[in-house]
Amino acid sequence: MSAVGARIAAEALSPMLDPGVEAMPREALAALQLARLRTTVQRLRDHVPPIRKRLDDAGVQPSDLRSLDDLDGVPFMQKSDLRDHYPFGLLACPRHALARVHASSGTTGKPTAVAYSRQDLATWSELMARSLATAGARRGDLVHNAHGYGLFTGGLGVHYGAERPGAIVVPVSGGSTERQVALIADLAPRVICATPSYALQIAEVAAKLGADLSRSGLAVGLFGGEPWSEAMRAEIERGLGVVSHDLYGLSEIMGPGVACECDARAGLHGWEDHFLFEVVDPASGRRLPEGEAGELVVTTLTKEALPMLRYRTRDITRLATQRCACGRTHVRILRVAGRNDDMLIVRGVNVYPTQIEAALVGQPGLAPHYLIVVERRGRLDHVTVEVEAQGGFSPERYDELEHAAIHHLKSLLGLTVDVVVRPPGTFERSTGKAVRVRDLRGKLH
Ligand SMILES: [Zn+2]
């Protein structure tokens, strides 16, 4: 029996916050989704002229949607829609009905803004609270929230979700890592939330300070905001002494709390009373049968201010609807392997940074801090993985570590790459999403 299996057998599963919804029979869930989908399409037609035009061009009326399968012909929305109509061109409610705005600076240029009505914020808190409970957080728990507060949705999203069912929030935000370690030691939180790369950073700084956080009282971790490998998961769990849960969300859809792993850790339950999940072929946009890998597409079913119809997330995943050991009936999104945007095509081989990470993390002598540099040499793509050595390794042994890592990556990924081992502390530590790839090839792919 796996370690997780043994743990589940030994302990009660985390109770549902709302069993009537979380364990709703799938037929009832589908009926609820269809009714809410029609309402959402009508809302977009009534209040959002650019989307009304798109629906008209595709000949889509709410009454055409007789089953969820009829969604296949409905036009997609994507990130560029938010950029093109920045800041408020896609609002489906009057400006005075808004309660909050979040924004992203946009790594690729133009910013985007997302807006929430008061009801939207209530739904977000409810779903984040449901996610926390699903991962094992309980009323009265202290929650160390190391997600950045501000325009990024992570900090406030987790914050209000934790407060709602009566947890106690420590709103520490990202940064000042030594202070975070001291706070964890002093306040003894049971739950910690952060991006996976920042969680690892906290563990690393703690180890340097001689603080053993695995004995601190931390028990439950919710980590999200970027893809992370199973190997990274094991490192975080070892360093912080938590059982970790993947938390999924994106600001365009809501923020954190769109989906979360339960104790079974067999995929993330996507909350289908508020969202409709599909997987499509990223190239053709055709809907794929359950179990096939493709791009995750999400439709919001209850959002008032900024409804999203078939939003292309760029995240590559698979869906599963078989009943979960935890009793929840909502679809499971198998852990996100990577983002379509992040996928590297190197000499015809598709590879995600998380695959390289999984191959590197846990290798003797290597630390889980790395940068993948892709460049073109002549007509060929060339990948160099720069990775930090663990402390205590003499630089004279870096050669040996490099050879072992090159061999390991070749055998696991079928990819010949260069590996350069760097001294500990080479790469800047991130308090949010870590930069893992530097692609110097231009945008030819
Ligand atoms: Zn489950």
Side-chain angles (χ1 to χ4, degrees), residues 134 261-265 267 269 324-328 332:
T134 297
E261 271 181 326
C262 65
D263 295 307
R265 300 205 295 186
H269 286 288
C324 182
C326 75
R328 291 177 183 82
R332 279 170 293 131

Side-chain angles (χ1 to χ4, degrees), residues 115-161:
Y116 303 79
S117 70
R118 214 155 288 285
Q119 179 58 46
D120 292 336
L121 292 181
T123 303
W124 187 7
S125 299
E126 178 193 329
L127 294 184
M128 189 57 229
R130 193 191 290 176
S131 298
L132 279 156
T134 297
R138 304 180 296 223
R139 168 184 283 273
D141 276 351
L142 216 68
V143 177
H144 183 96
N145 183 16
H147 276 298
Y149 279 63
L151 288 173
F152 170 58
T153 50
L156 289 176
V158 167
H159 183 102
Y160 289 109

Side-chain angles (χ1 to χ4, degrees), residues 178-216:
E178 294 194 2
R179 180 142 177 267
Q180 303 230 4
V181 171
L183 276 172
I184 292 170
D186 294 346
L187 305 181
R190 186 171 169 271
V191 180
I192 181 167
C193 300
T195 59
S197 48
Y198 192 53
L200 197 61
Q201 163 72 351
I202 293 173
E204 188 179 80
V205 169
K208 253 186 216 149
L209 296 172
D212 184 359
L213 293 188
S214 66
R215 295 161 170 275
S216 66

Side-chain angles (χ1 to χ4, degrees), residues 32-188:
L32 178 69
Q33 286 188 307
L34 183 60
R36 290 182 166 178
L37 174 66
R38 287 199 189 123
T39 307
T40 296
V41 170
Q42 188 63 53
R43 188 175 184 85
L44 284 161
R45 290 192 69 91
D46 290 346
H47 301 289
V48 190
I51 305 302
R52 181 195 310 142
K53 179 169 187 318
R54 201 176 292 179
L55 289 167
D56 278 343
D57 291 347
V60 176
Q61 293 287 345
S63 56
D64 295 337
L65 300 168
R66 279 181 285 271
S67 87
L68 294 174
D69 289 336
D70 293 332
L71 206 55
D72 212 1
V74 173
F76 293 111
M77 290 175 75
Q78 49 194 337
K79 181 110 178 176
S80 59
D81 291 319
L82 286 166
R83 287 196 205 109
D84 295 346
H85 299 282
Y86 175 80
F88 296 129
L90 296 177
L91 277 195
C93 70
R95 281 277 293 276
H96 64 75
L98 295 183
R100 199 193 299 161
V101 175
H102 282 276
S104 96
S105 55
T107 43
T108 51
K110 277 179 81 177
T112 55
V114 291
Y116 303 79
S117 70
R118 214 155 288 285
Q119 179 58 46
D120 292 336
L121 292 181
T123 303
W124 187 7
S125 299
E126 178 193 329
L127 294 184
M128 189 57 229
R130 193 191 290 176
S131 298
L132 279 156
T134 297
R138 304 180 296 223
R139 168 184 283 273
D141 276 351
L142 216 68
V143 177
H144 183 96
N145 183 16
H147 276 298
Y149 279 63
L151 288 173
F152 170 58
T153 50
L156 289 176
V158 167
H159 183 102
Y160 289 109
E163 280 190 346
R164 189 182 157 108
I168 304 148
V169 185
V170 185
V172 61
S173 193
S176 308
T177 310
E178 294 194 2
R179 180 142 177 267
Q180 303 230 4
V181 171
L183 276 172
I184 292 170
D186 294 346
L187 305 181

